[in-house]
Amino acid sequence: MAATGRAVVATGRRFEIREYPVPEPTPDTLVLRQELAGICGTDIHNWQNGIQGEMLLGHENVGVIEKLGRNVKTDYVGAPVQEGDRVILAPGAKGGAYGFQNNPDNEPRFRGGFADYIHLCLPGTCFIKTTAPPEAAVLIEPFTVGIHAASRSGIEIGDSVVVQGSGAIGLVTLIAAKMRGAGKLIMVGGPKGRLELAKRLGADIVIDIEEVKTAEERREIVMSHTPKRAGADVVFECAGFLPATPEGLSYVRHSGAFIEVGHFVDMGSIEFNPNQMLMRRNLRIEGIWGYRLDDFPRALPIIEKNEIPFADMVSHQLPLERVLDGFKALDGTYRLGGEMVVKIALGAGL
């Protein structure tokens, strides 16, 4: 194991790469050599707002076991593990979450995925051995969010479903909704390349917000593709932008469901008339906060089967030194070097 490793430290809207000694795992912990860590929409929104203090980011992780503590024999599902095994992990654990840790200079270090190593030191950490390639396995955490959202939505076989937002969370929610039994899937988002991928993942209708520029026009298209022009049975808001919420509510049929998935960061408030937007239409609203821990062993076999092109969502892999380029590309333009981006992952060995 190397004597030192690099970690990206974020503060405000700036990034700095620092070098720290790589820790020896205590008996009940382990150290991973990072392969890929996805840049999440939550990371982007926190960065847009200005990160308070210093923080180690990176909570969508896949890596290889570099060093095992002597008491660590099995993973979360009871499978035996050894050094050299590839594993994924749930970011949330007792005492905190990987990728959201302040005070990066304090021990224990390497608690975020934008680094050469990640020290799985938090009590109760869920990690699972996997055979999936890293570019697919890195999507496990967002996929569990999609599974949680689809499960809470109450989708029934044949339902009309709208997904707002064609980033990674929108795309994995689309996949989960299809697996849940959605009959017609409508994706509202952009740019065009992301929508082409959405079609490959199961979208029947795509609405490009770069071409259909007003909420009224988009609503008209949605209505035209639902039975009796009544609206969708279920709408998932995965964009994380405030105007998408009232627009998405307008897509829902009477007695349908609106599932808010995109606002993991406080981006402000909207004007909301409960009588007109909710009560008179008998709507059900669900707020999805992340994942459920047991969704990880549910999601991983689906990724490992390789029947769905999860890896195609990772459009760009960048070295740690280009972390700012990745964040800027996901800050509204969704393009990097003239190419469309879907998911950007940072890799220690790139």
Side-chain angles (χ1 to χ4, degrees):
M1 190 160 61
T4 63
R6 302 165 301 158
V8 174
V9 177
T11 181
R13 290 173 62 94
R14 296 181 293 105
F15 298 100
E16 175 188 351
I17 294 180
R18 296 181 189 170
E19 196 160 301
Y20 299 111
V22 180
E24 285 291 324
T26 58
D28 297 313
T29 71
L30 61 157
V31 174
L32 303 186
R33 175 171 44 83
Q34 277 287 63
E35 292 184 293
L36 289 175
I39 299 177
C40 176
T42 303
D43 296 326
I44 296 295
H45 289 317
N46 277 319
W47 174 76
Q48 288 169 336
N49 289 342
I51 293 167
Q52 301 301 306
E54 294 184 336
M55 184 175 288
L56 293 170
L57 298 176
H59 61 274
E60 300 177 1
N61 307 306
V62 57
V64 172
I65 297 175
E66 184 83 357
K67 194 71 176 288
L68 277 172
R70 66 174 180 269
N71 295 338
V72 183
K73 307 297 184 184
T74 61
D75 65 9
Y76 182 75
V77 296
V81 292
Q82 61 185 358
E83 292 172 4
D85 285 341
R86 174 172 296 136
V87 299
I88 56 87
L89 62 135
K94 296 176 183 176
Y98 300 102
F100 297 97
Q101 293 286 333
N102 295 112
N103 304 312
D105 292 337
N106 294 350
E107 298 283 0
R109 300 191 178 107
F110 291 106
R111 292 162 292 150
F114 297 166
D116 289 326
Y117 297 91
I118 184 166
H119 184 192
L120 301 191
C121 57
L122 297 175
T125 296
C126 164
F127 70 94
I128 307 176
K129 183 167 64 173
T130 182
T131 59
E135 58 271 19
V138 74
L139 289 159
I140 183 73
E141 193 271 349
F143 187 38
T144 62
V145 176
I147 290 174
H148 185 194
S151 297
R152 287 275 298 277
S153 72
I155 290 174
E156 296 186 8
I157 293 173
D159 274 352
S160 297
V161 174
V162 176
V163 178
Q164 296 174 276
S166 52
I169 290 293
L171 292 170
V172 296
T173 300
L174 179 84
I175 292 168
K178 182 178 179 64
M179 296 182 73
R180 184 84 179 180
K184 178 167 284 187
L185 280 161
I186 303 169
M187 170 70 80
V188 182
K192 191 177 297 294
R194 287 185 171 192
L195 297 178
E196 291 171 355
L197 177 56
K199 287 182 179 179
R200 291 175 53 206
L201 295 173
D204 301 294
I205 306 295
V206 295
I207 302 172
D208 190 340
I209 61 173
E210 293 183 343
E211 296 178 356
V212 186
K213 297 185 179 296
T214 70
E216 292 77 14
E217 290 177 290
R218 293 190 289 267
R219 182 180 184 276
E220 172 60 27
I221 296 172
V222 168
M223 294 296 149
S224 72
H225 288 286
T226 61
K228 299 182 180 180
R229 297 179 55 88
D233 297 292
V234 178
V235 173
F236 295 94
E237 194 289 295
C238 301
F241 294 100
L242 290 173
T245 296
E247 180 175 336
L249 283 165
S250 77
Y251 296 163
V252 187
R253 68 166 174 81
H254 188 277
S255 300
F258 180 81
I259 317 299
E260 180 56 68
V261 193
H263 283 273
F264 293 102
V265 175
D266 186 351
M267 299 301 289
S269 302
I270 59 172
E271 184 176 335
F272 184 79
N273 184 318
N275 176 268
Q276 297 295 314
M277 300 174 74
L278 182 63
M279 303 294 290
R280 286 180 177 270
R281 298 170 60 208
N282 200 43
L283 297 190
R284 175 169 59 89
I285 296 181
E286 296 276 353
I288 303 304
W289 186 253
Y291 53 81
R292 298 163 301 191
L293 199 58
D294 284 342
D295 286 331
F296 282 80
R298 291 172 183 268
L300 191 55
I302 297 169
I303 291 177
E304 289 178 334
K305 283 182 180 179
N306 200 33
E307 294 174 352
I308 300 167
F310 283 94
D312 290 357
M313 289 187 229
V314 182
S315 58
H316 292 76
Q317 299 181 30
L318 301 179
L320 297 179
E321 293 85 357
R322 295 192 63 192
V323 57
L324 183 59
D325 291 338
F327 272 67
K328 286 182 175 179
L330 293 167
D331 188 25
T333 65
Y334 306 114
R335 289 172 175 83
L336 182 63
E339 297 179 345
M340 182 273 303
V341 300
V342 180
K343 186 73 173 178
I344 298 176
L346 301 179
L350 298 175

